[in-house]
Amino acid sequence: MRKVFIQTYGCQMNEYDTQQMLQVLATKGFERAESPDKAHLIVINSCSVREKSENKALSQLGRFAALKKQDPSKVLAFGGCVGQTEGSKLRSRYPFLDFVFGTNNYRDLPEMISEYENQWPSAEEEDVLLPRSRPEAQAQAFITITNGCDKFCSYCIVPFTRGREYSRTPEDILKEAAALTQKGVQEIMLLGQNVNSYWGKNKQGAFTSLYDLMVLFQEESEKSLKGLKRLRYTTSHPRDFDENLARAFSELPVLCEYLHLPFQSGSDSVLRKMRRFYTADTYLKKIEMVKRYRPDIALSTDIIVGFPGETRQDFEDTLRVIKEVEFDNIYAFKYSARPYTRSEAWVDDVSFDEKADRIQELIQFQRTFGAKKYKEDIGNMVEIMLEGPSKTNAEFWTGRTRKNRVVHLPTDAQFKVGELRYTKIFDATHSWLSGELIPSGIVPLQGARRSA
Ligand code: 5AD
Ligand code: SF4
């Protein structure tokens, strides 16, 4: 059997693309290899959003090159965001690469690999339509609803790696969702660089917003999407986050009460330079609005530290927003200049050490708020989706609540990945919960807080 190993970097969009590549390659007889040394074809699906992510993919390429040296019949390909913009440069810099591709042409993989056919076991030996060549049925799945971005934030390479914003049709999305729920998927994450600006045209020519699309998901969860229990989406831009989307959290039971809303900086002058088109105050007003509709919503965000010209005062404005919102989690990144962006030309004047110090300060500062939010669950009965044995301690399994909080609980021989169970939470840190299992069949009392 032909085997492929794909090493994925970056966001969920890249993970989704990897799944799509595996499906495309399955039509050519490829099955997933557990490790790169067992693969005939090795693919890197790269990310270029920050300098560090790009460097990670490139150093991995060096390690794969060593494998190829030992076994020259292995085919080595480089795809994804770095491949999209730097394709030809990569080929001349790394001559051992067999081929390079981008985010918009992975569907052509069958043609790209055709010249290596004779290096691999023949595909005809296997019936490629055997179910085992398809991805395993899983309880959680992603669906891309938009691709690309038209926002052109001054620091961001995404509009160049993913191109102009494009929305899939609602019919297409619902069809993919129905196929997934029929395979046992209970949780769907709608993906896009900015899903809030989703604007899909249906067959009749009418436009569908993200809110309209989620209403369709809710309605269909009793029909063509039977079995769908949880719906999420990411990622959002504060500018496009409107009242309908806030109301959806109180109106649509299938929509999990969790929102990732990146604010990047709490300083209005930095936000202006970032071309984000909102202020700290308008961001806070949107948070207030969503909390009005759903007071127990869990929130997370992205922050860039050390943007060109960021002063101590600007950084303190960011701390102020963190204090006001009380996020569950924050994802903080040191600014790095990226090719093609506007800010690439600006002096990267906050030193690396200063950025590192600010990140540390921010993480410390956040801990108090994270712990406060997670501790709110102590004593509650919460629904979790089981995700598998804990990586560090075989006596524990992990599950995830609707609020996206990780729960550790003692292993039970009956556990199955993807199962929805109830736990009682008895302890919490700033980033995870401890729970004990409530025997199946016992449904939380009316009035008990159903969600976490
Ligand atoms: N430098 C640092 N962080 C960045 N991000 C995007 N571009 C850059 C950059 N040039 C961060 C933003 C975004 C997240 C995915 O990555 O916070 O929300
Ligand atoms: Fe990048 Fe801004 Fe688009 Fe997000 S909204 S992908 S940060 S350009």
Side-chain angles (χ1 to χ4, degrees), residues 149 151-153 155-156 158-159 193 237 276:
C149 182
K151 288 279 188 293
F152 290 91
C153 300
Y155 52 82
C156 186
V158 167
Q193 260 75 44
H237 192 298
R276 292 289 288 179

Side-chain angles (χ1 to χ4, degrees), residues 22 61 112 132 231 303 321 419 442:
L22 287 169
L61 180 59
M112 293 185 240
R132 68 189 160 87
L231 183 66
I303 295 165
V321 173
E419 204 183 359
I442 300 184

Side-chain angles (χ1 to χ4, degrees), residues 80-99:
C81 296
V82 185
Q84 179 71 29
T85 56
E86 311 303 314
S88 50
K89 278 186 228 159
L90 290 169
R91 287 217 62 162
S92 46
R93 207 171 135 198
Y94 304 100
F96 55 83
L97 262 179
D98 291 292
F99 65 95

